[in-house]
Amino acid sequence: AGALPWLVRAVEAAPDDVEALAALADARLRAGDVDGARTVLARGLTLAPTHQRLTALQRQASRLLP
């Protein structure tokens, strides 16, 4: 969870940076914040629907309970 505040700031500074969005989604999933991760993933996939890391994280999030 230590990286989350930094990643949130990175996404706030560059909201269209899909790499930052992927990193934030990954960190949220690891922290157990599935809803937060899904929100970030939706944003990232809107910008880059075929981004490999985002799509992999989306599959991972979809396997988790709501």
Side-chain angles (χ1 to χ4, degrees):
L4 273 172
W6 295 101
L7 292 168
V8 168
R9 279 185 233 138
V11 168
E12 288 172 350
D16 293 341
D17 182 339
V18 292
E19 294 302 328
L21 288 164
L24 178 57
D26 191 16
R28 288 195 187 275
L29 278 176
R30 291 173 190 272
D33 181 8
V34 178
D35 288 337
R38 287 181 177 146
T39 299
V40 174
L41 287 166
R43 169 88 176 125
L45 289 168
T46 297
L47 296 169
T50 60
H51 189 277
Q52 186 175 5
R53 185 172 179 201
L54 288 171
T55 56
L57 289 167
Q58 179 69 22
R59 283 191 301 275
Q60 181 181 348
S62 70
R63 289 192 295 267
L64 300 173
L65 296 174

